[in-house]
Amino acid sequence: NAGVMQNPRHLVRRRGQEARLRCSPMKGHSHVYWYRQLPEEGLKFMVYLQKENIIDESGMPKERFSAEFPKEGPSILRIQQVVRGDSAAYFCASSPLAGGSQETQYFGPGTRLLVL
Amino acid sequence: KQEVTQIPAALSVPEGENLVLNCSFTDSAIYNLQWFRQDPGKGLTSLLLIQSSQREQTSGRLNASLDKSSGRSTLYIAASQPGDSATYLCAVPGAGSYQLTFGKGTKLSVIP
């Protein structure tokens, strides 16, 4: 049973380009969470999705960032017109049920985004 | 707004020592508390999850305690080994219960 998979593991973009980060949850998991870890900072919640639905995007910047989790395929975190401040590690997590009192979230290895 | 603080930020110990990592949180109305391990360039591995009704959890050489009323948790590592070197993160569910709020971590180095 493969764990949470993220790709690419490392991504380099120039300012103004688009970044697409992919996350495949663990088999049987229908809940996906994205977190961002800025240098020297703790992980910060960005968005929570279930299949085809965004449940909570309160931690995601209103502009340039979007997320989706289609019926088929991985979850995608998309960053348009990247800026240097977007350089960070982006982690995806999944759970079989809604995370909370009983469920742990299983984390992927992360995508390290570097904006030049 | 929930805030999680971890002390110390970094810790270096000789192999074989027992050690304690500390985590404090500002809002005691939590469902649970988790300790994770993060290795450089890698993801997070869940070590222990303590439910709010529990006071401690044990897994091998690891023991985590939880004192909700004082907003504190400790992670005790017995007989430390070089392979324990990593960053240890403490996290609690925040608003909506699924948003994990993380501390900045304690970077542990175990010297052979």
Side-chain angles (χ1 to χ4, degrees):
Chain A
N1 186 11
V4 178
M5 300 175 67
Q6 292 188 248
N7 66 81
R9 295 288 304 275
H10 300 272
L11 183 61
V12 180
R13 285 287 180 267
R14 297 191 179 280
R15 282 179 296 170
Q17 292 184 319
E18 178 179 289
R20 281 184 175 241
L21 288 62
R22 289 176 290 277
C23 168
S24 296
M26 286 181 71
K27 187 176 181 181
H29 289 194
S30 58
H31 301 257
V32 166
Y33 318 83
W34 285 92
Y35 293 83
R36 177 167 67 174
Q37 186 176 34
L38 293 167
E40 307 302 320
E41 295 290 325
L43 278 80
K44 304 289 187 189
F45 168 82
M46 297 182 73
V47 61
Y48 163 39
L49 310 102
Q50 294 179 24
K51 282 287 187 180
E52 300 184 274
N53 290 300
I54 297 175
I55 307 302
D56 182 351
E57 55 183 352
S58 60
M60 199 158 64
K62 295 288 187 287
E63 297 180 355
R64 303 186 298 108
F65 285 72
S66 62
E68 64 177 12
F69 189 16
K71 186 177 180 181
E72 301 292 338
S75 175
I76 306 287
L77 179 67
R78 181 183 179 202
I79 311 172
Q80 295 178 289
Q81 299 176 321
V82 296
V83 300
R84 289 206 173 120
D86 297 332
S87 295
Y90 292 81
F91 290 95
C92 170
S94 72
S95 64
L97 302 173
S101 60
Q102 303 295 327
E103 289 293 329
T104 189
Q105 296 176 18
Y106 298 84
F107 281 78
T111 293
R112 271 89 184 154
L113 172 65
L114 176 63
V115 180
L116 301 176
Chain B
K1 179 186 173 184
Q2 179 76 268
E3 292 184 4
V4 178
T5 303
Q6 291 187 247
I7 295 173
L11 180 64
S12 184
V13 301
E15 181 178 1
E17 271 203 8
N18 302 325
L19 59 100
V20 174
L21 307 180
N22 298 291
C23 171
S24 61
F25 45 94
T26 54
D27 186 348
S28 61
I30 59 171
Y31 292 102
N32 59 46
L33 182 143
Q34 275 189 266
W35 283 93
F36 291 88
R37 168 183 174 141
Q38 184 177 22
D39 292 282
K42 296 187 178 180
L44 281 65
T45 301
S46 180
L47 298 173
L48 290 164
L49 183 151
I50 312 177
Q51 301 295 347
S52 59
S53 58
Q54 298 175 315
R55 291 195 64 84
E56 64 178 60
Q57 276 280 12
T58 298
S59 176
R61 294 183 293 107
L62 305 180
N63 176 278
S65 68
L66 174 63
D67 184 345
K68 273 187 59 176
S69 60
S70 67
R72 295 182 181 179
S73 174
T74 62
L75 179 65
Y76 174 83
I77 302 177
S80 58
Q81 302 171 359
D84 295 331
S85 298
T87 297
Y88 291 81
L89 301 172
C90 166
V92 294
S97 79
Y98 43 75
Q99 296 181 20
L100 292 180
T101 300
F102 285 84
K104 292 184 180 181
T106 294
K107 186 175 182 179
L108 173 65
S109 298
V110 181
I111 312 301

